[in-house]
Structure formats: structure tokens, C-alpha cells
């Protein structure tokens, strides 16, 4: 009993102050219960009186202890001078492999018994979005600067070579190439911006997969013929998906263009469709150089190139696969890749089937791949 009395005497002077120190002011508990941010109330001895589930999930609180040393330091400063403080802190992940979390923190005194309220708002996603936006602006500036600079230089060269018809013809051809590259980049930027804006597909409807495949193949025939690459279209005919036919043609064309760009001459690219339960799978397979495993998670990022030199030499904008990804998401689907260096790649668009089940129209049959006209 003597030990217990000594413990009570050291902690608080009497029972009344003990009760006051651990009780939350009226209404505070109700407010904390509905706050979306991590909320923690500390008593005058830095013990946790109340903590939201978010605070515990992020590892800010364990038992009755505040685990973040920076938050404890802020809480003690606020308790000493009564001034509200705001800051940003980064807390290491409390699970193996988990990234650090950035918090916007506000710490304020609560009541008159040394209690402190800590509010921490997760800012990790905001920081990631800002970083992506900065990278995007930097990349766009760089990509636009290259063809614009080339056009300016070529125009000056043509002016200086006005008396040499052969040189004018040669440089004019270069200007057309750079102008086409600039046009492709602007078109891809507009398409990507429209899709990423989260706008709903304007006029969705049933889209025949056969028509999408053959239209995309037709648009890529010229590039394929230049490298003597055979384009093959086939699989299950009569399948339909729900969406926008022009967006789907754009996505599939980008996959085929990508396959042609990264394939050696005298090979073939196969485009096929098949039913997959409630979805339809459209695959594009090539016999190209393949993609390193380390790069496969990043290939759908804007402006990411596995081989930057080859991509620029073939006129690639670095936006094609990003467009494919966002078109698939806009249609409620997904895109996946299988690749092995030296053995080629297969990109697969998986899209919800029209009507909820991937069935063929009555007149359709399963066919073997047919060589598309080059």
C-alpha cells in the first residue's frame, strides 16, 4: 500500500486533478470521431488519451505512446507556451518495405490541464502528384524544344541555301519530318490530357472488336511495310466491348506502332482477340528486342522510354503506352505486358465485354490469324 501511495503522490496531487487531466473537454470526442485526418490527444505526461484509427494505422501511436519523436517535441513546445504550431514531418513506414509518409501537422493546446491535440494529414499522395506534374512539365518542355529547335535551324539553313535547289529539297524534307513529329506529340498530348481529365466517354456504345483491330492495323500498314514487317490480325471474330471505337483504335494503334518500332525487319506482329469470361482480351505480340524486367513496371509512364535513342529515331513521342493505359482505365479495363529480352513482347488489353459476357455474334466463327493487306 505504501508503494501505491507513493506512486499516486508522484503522478498527481489529488483525485480531482487526476480526473480533470484525463477527461476530454465536452464535445471533443465527438469531433475527433468524424475527422478524416489522424488525431491524437496527449495528456500532460505525453500519454495518449485518445487516438483515431488512422493514427494507429500509420504507426503514429502504439498503445498509449506517441511513436513519432518530432510530434512529441512539437507537443511539448505547445504545452510550454500555448502557441499553435504547424509543420510538415516525414514518418518512416512502420512495416517492412513501406515507404515513408509525409504529414502536414497542426498541434494545439486543448483545455487547461496540459492536454495537447495533434492533427496529422497524410500528404504523401499530394507530394507524388506534384512530383509527377513537375516531371510532366519538364518532359513536355524538353520534347517540344527538340522539334521546334530543329525546325528553326532548318528554316535558317534553307534561307542560306536558297541558290541550291538540291539542298533546299533535302532540308525541306527534314522540316516535314520534324513537323510531323511535332504534330504527333501535340496530338498525343491532347489525347492524353482528355483521357486523364477523368471525363466520361462521350458516347459509349457497343464496339465491334473486329472493326477496331482492322482499322488499327490499316493505320499501321505503311510503317510496317517500310520495315517489311507482316501484320497479322485474327482470333475470335464477332466479339464486342462497351466504349468508344476511336479511343480503342487509338490505343490499339499505339500498341501496334510500338511493336513495329521495336521489331527487327522481316518479322511479324500478330494482333488477336479472344473471349475471357466477362471480358475480351486483345493482344499484340511481336518478335522484337523485348523489355528488361526492371523496366516493365515503368513502361506505361509518360515519356518513359526503354531505349530513348531508338524511340526518338523512329519518331516516338514517349506517350503511346501511357495513352493505352488511360484508355483501358477509362473503359473499366486494364493493360498487361509479358516480355523477355530477345524473345519479343505481348501487350494485352483486357476490356469489359458488351452485355457482361464475351460472346460472339451469331454469324461469327473462330478463325486462324489472317495476314492483313500490306
Amino acid at each position: 500500500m505504501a508503494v501505491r501511495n507513493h506512486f499516486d503522490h508522484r503522478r498527481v496531487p489529488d483525485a480531482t486533478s487526476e480526473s480533470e487531466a484525463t477527461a476530454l473537454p465536452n464535445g471533443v470526442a465527438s469531433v475527433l470521431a468524424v475527422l478524416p485526418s489522424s488525431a491524437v490527444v496527449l495528456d500532460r505526461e505525453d500519454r495518449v488519451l485518445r487516438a483515431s484509427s488512422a493514427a494507429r494505422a500509420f504507426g503514429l501511436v502504439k498503445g498509449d505512446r506517441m511513436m513519432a519523436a518530432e510530434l512529441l517535441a512539437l507537443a511539448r513546445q505547445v504545452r510550454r507556451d500555448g502557441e499553435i504550431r504547424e509543420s510538415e514531418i516525414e514518418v518512416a513506414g512502420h512495416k517492412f518495405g513501406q515507404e515513408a509518409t509525409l504529414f502536414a501537422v497542426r498541434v494545439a493546446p486543448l483545455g487547461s490541464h496540459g492536454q495537447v491535440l495533434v492533427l496529422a494529414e497524410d500528404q504523401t499522395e499530394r507530394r507524388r502528384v506534384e512530383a509527377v506534374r513537375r516531371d510532366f512539365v519538364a518532359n513536355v518542355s524538353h520534347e517540344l524544344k527538340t522539334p521546334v529547335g530543329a525546325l528553326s535551324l532548318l528554316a535558317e539553313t534553307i534561307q542560306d541555301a536558297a541558290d541550291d535547289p538540291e539542298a533546299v529539297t533535302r532540308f525541306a524534307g527534314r522540316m516535314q519530318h520534324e513537323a510531323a513529329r511535332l504534330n504527333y506529340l501535340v496530338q498525343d498530348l491532347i489525347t492524353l490530357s482528355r483521357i486523364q481529365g477523368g471525363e466520361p466517354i462521350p458516347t459509349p456504345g457497343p464496339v465491334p472488336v473486329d472493326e477496331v483491330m482492322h482499322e488499327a492495323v490499316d493505320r499501321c500498314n505503311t510503317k510496317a511495310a517500310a520495315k517489311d514487317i507482316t501484320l497479322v490480325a485474327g482470333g475470335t471474330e464477332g466479339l464486342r466491348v462497351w466504349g468508344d471505337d476511336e479511343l480503342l483504335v487509338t490505343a490499339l494503334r499505339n500498341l501496334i506502332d510500338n511493336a513495329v518500332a521495336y521489331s527487327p525487319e522481316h518479322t511479324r506482329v500478330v494482333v488477336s482477340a479472344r473471349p475471357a469470361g466477362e471480358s475480351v482480351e486483345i493482344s499484340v505480340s511481336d518478335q522484337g528486342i523485348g523489355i528488361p524486367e526492371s523496366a516493365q513496371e515503368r513502361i506505361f509512364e509518360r515519356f518513359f522510354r526503354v531505349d530513348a535513342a531508338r524511340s526518338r529515331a523512329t519518331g516516338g513521342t514517349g506517350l503511346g503506352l501511357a495513352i493505352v493505359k488511360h484508355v483501358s482505365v477509362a473503359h473499366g479495363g486494364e493493360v498487361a505486358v509479358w516480355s523477355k529480352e530477345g524473345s519479343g513482347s505481348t501487350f494485352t488489353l483486357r476490356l469489359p465485354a458488351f452485355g457482361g459476357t464475351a460472346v460472339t455474334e451469331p454469324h461469327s466463327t473462330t478463325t486462324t490469324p489472317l495476314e492483313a493487306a500490306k
Side-chain angles (χ1 to χ4, degrees):
M1 181 64 68
V3 173
R4 177 183 164 186
N5 287 340
H6 173 72
F7 178 76
D8 288 342
H9 176 73
R10 181 176 59 86
R11 288 278 310 281
V12 291
D14 51 52
T16 300
S17 57
E18 170 73 20
S19 175
E20 291 174 345
T22 57
L24 295 178
N26 293 334
V28 170
S30 300
V31 172
L32 295 181
V34 298
L35 285 176
S37 55
S38 300
V40 182
V41 178
L42 300 173
D43 68 8
R44 59 192 179 195
E45 295 182 356
D46 290 335
R47 292 179 307 178
V48 175
L49 296 180
R50 180 68 60 93
S52 66
S53 56
R56 296 187 183 278
F58 280 117
L60 297 177
V61 172
K62 185 175 181 181
D64 65 347
R65 294 175 55 207
M66 171 71 77
M67 304 303 294
E70 290 179 78
L71 288 180
L72 271 180
L74 282 174
R76 289 165 183 166
Q77 291 176 15
V78 169
R79 188 181 293 115
R80 282 197 300 269
D81 58 26
E83 295 289 333
I84 296 175
R85 284 181 168 79
E86 295 181 351
S87 181
E88 281 194 351
I89 67 166
E90 194 169 79
V91 177
H94 64 290
K95 295 181 180 179
F96 179 77
Q98 185 178 7
E99 295 182 358
T101 304
L102 178 71
F103 290 99
V105 177
R106 186 178 177 86
V107 185
L110 188 65
S112 57
H113 300 286
Q115 295 177 357
V116 175
L117 172 64
V118 178
L119 297 177
E121 189 76 31
D122 181 11
Q123 299 291 301
T124 308
E125 181 63 16
R126 177 184 63 80
R127 179 174 60 175
R128 186 193 69 79
V129 170
E130 288 179 352
V132 169
R133 185 182 295 114
R134 285 195 301 270
D135 290 344
F136 179 68
V137 171
N139 284 325
V140 168
S141 301
H142 174 74
E143 296 295 335
L144 287 174
K145 187 184 298 182
T146 302
V148 169
L151 285 170
S152 177
L153 183 61
L154 286 167
E156 291 179 10
T157 305
I158 287 178
Q159 189 175 23
D160 294 338
D163 297 331
D164 186 348
E166 185 178 341
V168 169
T169 301
R170 184 171 67 255
F171 290 127
R174 291 282 306 278
M175 288 185 71
Q176 289 179 332
H177 174 77
E178 292 297 338
R181 178 180 173 186
L182 184 60
N183 181 54
Y184 291 143
L185 178 57
V186 171
Q187 287 181 342
D188 282 352
L189 284 170
I190 292 171
T191 300
L192 188 59
S193 176
R194 181 161 64 93
I195 299 170
Q196 279 191 301
E199 299 176 8
I201 296 174
T203 54
V207 179
V209 174
D210 299 337
E211 294 181 12
V212 170
M213 289 171 53
H214 288 288
E215 177 65 22
V217 167
D218 186 60
R219 295 187 187 183
C220 299
N221 269 328
T222 302
K223 289 184 178 180
K227 296 180 67 174
D228 192 26
I229 292 176
T230 301
L231 298 184
V232 177
T236 304
E237 294 184 342
L239 297 171
R240 294 188 299 171
V241 295
W242 180 265
D244 180 274
D245 55 352
E246 187 57 36
L247 283 178
L248 292 174
V249 169
T250 298
L252 192 56
R253 175 183 60 79
N254 280 329
L255 287 180
I256 298 172
D257 274 344
N258 196 66
V260 169
Y262 287 91
S263 293
E265 297 180 350
H266 318 303
T267 57
R268 71 175 191 164
V269 172
V270 177
V271 186
S272 62
R274 72 181 187 92
E278 298 180 351
S279 302
V280 172
E281 291 184 350
I282 309 172
S283 299
V284 177
S285 301
D286 63 55
Q287 299 169 295
I289 60 176
I291 304 169
E293 187 175 353
S294 60
Q296 290 181 21
E297 291 185 0
R298 297 195 59 197
I299 56 176
F300 296 104
E301 296 178 12
R302 295 167 299 186
F303 296 112
F304 178 79
R305 294 178 170 96
V306 177
D307 186 339
R310 178 189 290 260
S311 179
R312 289 194 174 91
T314 57
T317 64
L319 294 172
L321 291 181
I323 290 174
V324 173
K325 175 185 175 182
H326 288 287
V327 168
S328 67
V329 170
H331 283 76
E334 60 184 358
V335 60
V337 60
W338 173 91
S339 187
K340 184 177 180 181
E341 286 187 89
S343 300
S345 306
T346 296
F347 287 83
T348 301
L349 268 174
R350 188 180 180 92
L351 303 168
F354 176 71
T357 306
V359 294
T360 60
E361 295 179 320
H363 67 277
S364 303
T365 58
T366 301
T367 63
T368 55
L370 302 173
E371 179 174 332
K374 294 199 293 177

